[in-house]
Amino acid sequence: MDLRTHYLGIELKNPLVPSASPLSRSLDTARQLEDAGAAALVMYSLFEEELRSSGGPHYVDIGHTEARSYMPEYVPEQGELERHLEQLQRLKLALAIPVIASLNGISLDGWVENGKLLAEAGADALELNAYFIAADLQQSSVEVEQRYLSLLAELRSVVSIPITMKLSPYFSSLGHMVKALEAKGANGVALFNRFYQPDIDIDSLQVASRLQLSHPGDHLLAMRWIAMLQGRTQLSLAATSGVHTSDDAVKMVLAGADVVHLCSTLLLHGPRQLSRILAGMERWLDESPYESLEQCKGVMSQRQSRDPSAFERANYVQLLGGYSVSKEQWR
């Protein structure tokens, strides 16, 4: 089956790309992902906070034995930045697939300097995971958007490798923001990053941090926006968050995604889950009327849909208006 696709100007053998996660901290696990069929790999994120802190990174126990086995122990003898750059170089030497660096910054200088170092270390592309909570009540939406545009423009001026922006779904006008990023030199967008929400422990009366992995069905928000953006931007489109099965991955491609990022499902089931998803996509394509994945990409996008309103408010009205309550089921 011809599953080839193009992402950030790079030809990939298929659209399945493990996203930034602890799995890439281990060369052995990274090789397992490649053997399972990964077309590229996004390395675990470089966090500017970790570089500024005297302590090392803190790993969160996600409560799954198989996933926990992929979490390496922290080695404190070496600086975090040096360790990260060396791991990037090791991954490049060990793997035949492209390696995309993931950067999560908090200052403009940090974004630019660290992004430049990652590019110099051999990254095939940069994914900017701009995880920012607009908690300042005096800050306008225009100011928030300008943060993203400024860091992209500054980084674009010092690196030549492709840059993709990993965005949240909370922009007031997401489509306009995507076009603005395109004008500033982005090569792609990844939709969407997940804001890990703090919880409250009602017994200890403390704020608790718990990692919540995605669930099947969480992919629908990204699928909707990719379907609405497909054909309206020249940027590569990556679908991320909530893809757990081959059906989920196929839907993303039909909506218009160039690649599909995988994370939670790999943490839960290990690298072999990628090969299962890939096999399912091959079966679907073999039974479909299409000869290649490229041929079916975007056929269910809003631009090509027989009912474009299904991606907008009309679908909301139809779903709620058509719902009937069965009082016999009430308890």
Side-chain angles (χ1 to χ4, degrees):
M1 295 294 100
D2 185 359
L3 297 179
R4 288 175 298 172
T5 186
H6 287 82
Y7 181 55
L8 305 175
I10 306 169
E11 182 175 278
L12 303 179
K13 59 185 178 182
N14 66 63
L16 299 185
V17 178
S19 58
S21 80
L23 297 179
S24 56
R25 291 183 181 272
S26 162
L27 286 182
D28 181 61
T29 306
R31 291 190 187 99
Q32 290 180 49
L33 289 168
E34 182 179 39
D35 291 342
L41 175 71
V42 182
M43 189 178 170
Y44 65 93
S45 288
L46 177 63
F47 286 90
E48 187 179 344
E49 292 98 323
E50 288 183 352
L51 306 185
R52 297 185 175 207
S53 171
S54 58
H58 302 285
Y59 299 114
V60 180
D61 189 345
I62 64 173
H64 193 279
T65 304
E66 183 176 6
R68 195 183 299 117
S69 68
Y70 295 114
M71 309 288 187
E73 294 297 324
Y74 175 63
V75 181
E77 291 82 10
Q78 194 178 22
E80 180 64 22
L81 177 59
E82 290 75 18
R83 290 197 319 116
H84 195 99
L85 296 175
E86 288 182 7
Q87 178 67 355
L88 170 57
Q89 292 169 339
R90 284 193 290 265
L91 288 169
K92 284 292 298 175
L93 289 172
L95 306 177
I97 57 178
V99 178
I100 300 169
S102 174
L103 178 59
N104 197 315
I106 55 176
S107 69
L108 184 57
D109 287 344
W111 283 106
V112 173
E113 291 305 315
N114 293 326
K116 185 178 179 182
L117 289 172
L118 290 167
E120 291 173 349
D124 293 286
L126 276 175
E127 180 179 275
L128 306 187
N129 192 348
Y131 185 102
F132 173 69
I133 303 294
D136 184 352
L137 302 186
Q138 304 304 314
Q139 191 173 42
S140 71
S141 59
V142 173
E143 292 174 297
V144 172
E145 292 174 358
Q146 191 57 48
R147 288 174 59 99
Y148 291 77
L149 297 173
S150 295
L151 75 89
L152 171 62
E154 289 291 329
L155 190 53
R156 180 78 285 168
S157 69
V158 296
V159 303
S160 59
I161 62 175
I163 298 175
T164 185
M165 300 290 292
K166 194 170 186 178
L167 302 178
S168 83
Y170 301 124
F171 292 96
S172 56
S173 181
L174 181 66
H176 182 270
M177 184 62 182
V178 168
K179 293 298 291 183
L181 292 168
E182 182 178 351
K184 288 292 185 180
N187 302 95
V189 288
L191 308 178
F192 292 105
N193 59 15
R194 302 181 67 230
F195 284 1
Y196 294 104
Q197 310 297 350
D199 200 354
I200 294 177
D201 188 315
I202 63 174
D203 295 320
S204 65
L205 297 183
Q206 293 183 344
V207 175
S209 297
R210 298 187 179 95
L211 178 61
Q212 298 292 331
L213 298 182
S214 69
H215 300 281
D218 290 349
H219 67 282
L220 294 177
L221 180 61
M223 186 189 75
R224 181 187 205 178
W225 272 104
I226 285 173
M228 291 195 290
L229 289 170
Q230 201 274 336
R232 296 187 170 101
T233 175
Q234 296 300 310
L235 298 181
S236 291
L237 299 175
T240 186
S241 188
V243 176
H244 285 253
T245 68
S246 59
D247 286 354
D248 297 340
V250 168
K251 291 176 190 177
M252 291 300 195
V253 173
L254 292 173
D258 296 296
V259 296
V260 178
H261 288 311
L262 305 172
C263 183
S264 292
T265 191
L266 300 180
L267 290 174
L268 289 170
H269 305 293
R272 285 180 295 180
Q273 177 68 357
L274 194 148
S275 63
R276 299 182 192 110
I277 294 174
L278 187 61
M281 295 185 74
E282 290 175 335
R283 286 193 299 271
W284 179 87
L285 186 60
D286 186 42
E287 296 169 1
S288 78
Y290 305 105
E291 296 180 359
S292 69
L293 201 71
E294 198 70 40
Q295 195 178 62
C296 67
K297 186 185 297 181
V299 297
M300 293 299 295
S301 66
Q302 185 184 42
R303 191 169 61 98
Q304 298 192 48
S305 175
R306 297 176 184 175
D307 181 17
S309 66
F311 289 100
E312 298 181 10
R313 185 174 171 83
N315 192 43
Y316 171 79
V317 175
Q318 291 169 6
L319 284 173
L320 292 185
Y323 184 78
S324 60
V325 178
S326 176
K327 295 183 179 180
E328 290 75 16
Q329 297 179 358
W330 290 358
R331 295 290 187 271

